Amino acid sequence: MDSSLRTDEGASYSKALGNRQVQMIAIGGAIGVGLFLGAGGKLHQVGPSLIFSYAICGIAAYFVMRALGELVLHEPSSGSFVTYARKFIGPWAGFAAGWMYWVNWAMTGIAEITAVAIYVHKWLPDLPQWITALIALGVLLAVNLLSVKVFGELEFWFSVVKVLAIVVFLITGAGLVLTGADIGGTPAGAHNLTGHSGLFPAGIGVALMTLQAVIFAYSAIEVVGIAAGETKDARKVLPKAINGVVWRIGVFYVGSVLLLAMLLPWPFYSGDESPFVTVFSRLGVPGVGDVMNAVVLTAALSSVNSGLYSTGRILRSLAEKGEAPSFVSRMSRRQVPYGGILFTSVAYVLGVVLNYLVPKEAFDIAIAIASLGVISTWATLIFCQLRLRQAALRGELERPSYRMPWAPYSGWATLGFLALVVVLMGFSDGAEKIAFWSIPVLAVVLAVGWRSVGKRRERTPAG
């Protein structure tokens, strides 16, 4: 059987996700709390220069998605980049990629849970944050444990809400800018881009430091690749889903940040609430701020939902090779990898505890460490595509018709950009520096972990 038709890790999964659900999972993965909450704090920090950060990172995300598309069309698999890392780099790379992805989602879950607590605080200021987070986690855990169809349906509607909200914001925001509308005593317009110390009010150096946070904002775009193993007619559905993510990156992310910067002077934003809530609340329309707060709350819940889904599949892929505890490979009668989902939920509970101990710092620390997982995942996908291309040139396999544009130059340029983002983290004075110095710690833990599974690795053939 042609290797491009194999779906090893996805073989025992239910093919329950249809075109409608996969399309919306792909779109929803590209709209998360990094934009809905994180953009406010970064706008306050660096002003309109954040637009350039989103544009540059968007280009990198475009190439990552195209690389993912080529790999998925070569071999659809719920093991996703873990499968590809094993095949095109080596067993150790699959191990490292899988666990770094888990670190990403463990930390992302903490950030999202923090966001849930911040949003609910607007309505229930006396309710402790940890209670809100625990209730949300309990509901989403139950959804993921029921069946992939229930997950897909919930994520579909989560994504519908997010996409509609962004579209409404883009249309409304454009109208407000074009008419120079008064927003809480401040006129909207392009003048807000340069009228408060210019496009780079904090300097180019500080603006570059936001790249890590923006990379985090783009995280979860790869979930569509993990869904490949549970998708009907993956080779037909996934290219459309991936292409949809690519152009929506430009419209939703760059367009939204551009409008935010024109609607209000950047000092009006803060990290204490969503910038979208800030804008709509200042419009003075009764209840509109609350509606937007409900929308961004949905975005946070959606991300936790996706995290439980994707890590459950990745951990099972690792466990099948003896590279994770055997418990995480367990499947329910409904073909749900409940072991991996429960394993990740434990980390999310620890996030609830972290919110209780250091609620102010929890979000920034979590997204900084999570971004390392995002960068490692993106780098893995790019490098695997480079290896796939080399293997095709040697005549060892046939490349799919859906390919990475301008390869291999686009791949090497993207890898260089990702390396630059990591280096810049070391020069930061905030949570990014904590994440940077966690790199050697993570490297040691991964090396020790890989060594500890050596005997099982020898008994298990490479995938």
Side-chain angles (χ1 to χ4, degrees), residues 352-361:
V352 175
V353 175
L354 184 62
N355 269 272
Y356 176 76
L357 297 175
V358 285
K360 294 290 185 182
E361 295 83 9

Side-chain angles (χ1 to χ4, degrees), residues 113-114 116-117 128-138 348 351-352 355:
I113 284 172
T114 303
V116 168
Q129 290 188 10
W130 67 270
I131 292 179
T132 304
L134 202 57
I135 292 172
L137 177 58
Y348 287 4
V352 175
N355 269 272

Side-chain angles (χ1 to χ4, degrees), residues 31-32 94 180 200 203 247 249 288 297 366 383 411:
I31 306 172
F200 293 85
W247 71 262
I249 282 173
V288 70
L297 173 61
F383 198 72

Side-chain angles (χ1 to χ4, degrees), residues 374-395:
V374 179
I375 290 169
S376 68
T377 298
W378 286 16
T380 298
L381 288 169
I382 293 290
F383 198 72
C384 286
Q385 187 279 330
L386 289 170
R387 286 293 184 90
L388 183 154
R389 179 179 177 277
Q390 290 171 352
L393 291 175
R394 294 192 298 266

Side-chain angles (χ1 to χ4, degrees), residues 279-426:
V279 170
F280 281 103
S281 295
R282 289 179 62 89
L283 282 174
V285 179
V288 70
D290 290 324
V291 171
M292 183 53 68
N293 198 57
V295 169
V296 295
L297 173 61
T298 298
L301 293 172
S302 171
S303 189
V304 177
N305 197 36
S306 293
L308 289 170
Y309 171 84
S310 56
T311 53
R313 276 73 184 166
I314 292 297
L315 285 172
R316 182 169 183 260
S317 179
L318 290 168
E320 286 178 338
K321 301 296 182 182
E323 297 167 2
S326 59
F327 167 76
V328 304
S329 68
R330 295 181 182 178
M331 295 277 281
S332 71
R333 292 180 181 179
R334 294 176 177 268
Q335 297 173 298
V336 172
Y338 72 88
I341 292 172
L342 289 174
F343 187 88
T344 300
S345 70
V346 172
Y348 287 4
V349 170
L350 294 176
V352 175
V353 175
L354 184 62
N355 269 272
Y356 176 76
L357 297 175
V358 285
K360 294 290 185 182
E361 295 83 9
F363 185 80
D364 289 338
I365 294 173
I367 66 170
I369 297 177
S371 65
L372 292 177
V374 179
I375 290 169
S376 68
T377 298
W378 286 16
T380 298
L381 288 169
I382 293 290
F383 198 72
C384 286
Q385 187 279 330
L386 289 170
R387 286 293 184 90
L388 183 154
R389 179 179 177 277
Q390 290 171 352
L393 291 175
R394 294 192 298 266
E396 298 172 6
L397 54 83
E398 184 178 348
R399 289 179 71 187
S401 58
Y402 188 85
R403 299 180 178 183
M404 173 82 148
W406 306 303
Y409 309 108
S410 54
W412 288 115
T414 304
L415 288 175
F417 171 73
L418 295 175
L420 173 64
V421 174
V422 173
V423 171
L424 288 172
M425 291 172 70

Side-chain angles (χ1 to χ4, degrees), residues 37-51:
L37 179 62
K42 294 306 175 183
L43 272 170
H44 184 80
Q45 180 184 353
V46 302
S49 63
L50 187 65
I51 300 165

Side-chain angles (χ1 to χ4, degrees), residues 40-74:
K42 294 306 175 183
L43 272 170
H44 184 80
Q45 180 184 353
V46 302
S49 63
L50 187 65
I51 300 165
F52 299 100
S53 296
Y54 269 88
I56 294 169
C57 291
I59 294 171
Y62 164 75
F63 288 121
V64 169
M65 289 301 292
R66 290 303 300 259
L68 172 62
E70 184 170 344
L71 290 163
V72 166
L73 269 291
H74 165 69

